Amino acid sequence: MSKTPNIFVRSLRELRSTRCLAVTALLIAINVTLDLLGLSIKLPPNLRIGFGFLCNASIGMLFGPVVGMMAGVCTDVLGYFAGNLSMGAYFPGYTLTAVVGGLIWGLWLYPRKVTVWRAIGAKTCINLFCNICLNTLWLTVTGGKAMSVLLVTRVPKNLILLPIEIVLVYFGMKLVNRIYGALPNGKTAAENS
């Protein structure tokens, strides 16, 4: 239990690093761009796998939960102003979902070695808490539809996509670790612990 506060303190200290700020900004920009361009894999029936969550996972893995939560706020707000103005008013509930997502990625992946079990745990928590619970709640609040009606379609969709997204997280984070470790003085979080 004594390690949990240390993860937050260590993650907060990451913000002192110019490298942390630059890489985080780059990953936020990639996430927003992927969303604006609509780059995703479309699977029948009406399923879509986006890749923006890999940017969020990378930030959480490299720099921890504090940086992940801050990046979640920035990604959500910048994404809204960059291209979602036509979709209606800004709703802070989705920003809260992005903060919770950054927290979950950081807690599961920082500063540890990426394993299959960590990828499964992180993505399952994201799908359960953020995608199914929180986003359904926000859709209910903003759209006025009954939560039970939305859950009927959201639960199977998230369950079907979960194994594919877990594979993407596992191999994606391995690749990010390799690229980040190849940078000059670029040690991954797992190497520093």
Side-chain angles (χ1 to χ4, degrees), residues 21-129:
L21 297 175
V23 171
T24 301
L26 176 67
L27 289 168
I28 289 171
I30 291 170
N31 191 346
V32 171
T33 303
L34 287 172
D35 189 40
L36 288 174
L37 296 176
L39 295 177
S40 61
I41 298 173
K42 291 175 179 40
L43 303 170
N46 300 326
L47 296 176
R48 177 183 76 83
I49 299 176
F51 298 103
F53 73 93
L54 293 173
C55 296
N56 298 339
S58 298
I59 293 168
M61 175 191 67
L62 292 172
F63 307 115
V66 174
V67 179
M69 291 186 295
M70 290 179 170
V73 170
C74 294
T75 302
D76 188 64
V77 172
L78 289 173
Y80 174 77
F81 286 112
N84 294 333
L85 286 171
S86 60
M87 294 180 65
Y90 171 78
F91 182 68
Y94 296 111
T95 304
L96 180 61
T97 300
V99 169
V100 172
L103 173 67
I104 292 171
W105 287 122
L107 289 176
W108 276 95
L109 301 177
Y110 178 83
R112 302 169 188 104
K113 183 177 179 181
V114 177
T115 64
V116 173
W117 293 111
R118 290 194 191 286
I120 290 170
K123 192 57 188 152
T124 302
C125 286
I126 294 286
N127 281 17
L128 179 65
F129 295 121

Side-chain angles (χ1 to χ4, degrees), residues 40 58 151 169 178:
S40 61
S58 298
L151 279 175
V169 167
R178 180 174 290 153

Side-chain angles (χ1 to χ4, degrees), residues 153-184:
T153 58
R154 294 178 69 80
V155 170
K157 174 192 164 223
N158 277 279
L159 289 176
I160 291 169
L161 294 178
L162 184 63
I164 299 167
E165 292 171 336
I166 288 170
V167 169
L168 287 173
V169 167
Y170 178 72
F171 288 109
M173 295 308 98
K174 290 281 191 184
L175 179 62
V176 167
N177 259 333
R178 180 174 290 153
I179 292 169
Y180 189 76
L183 295 173

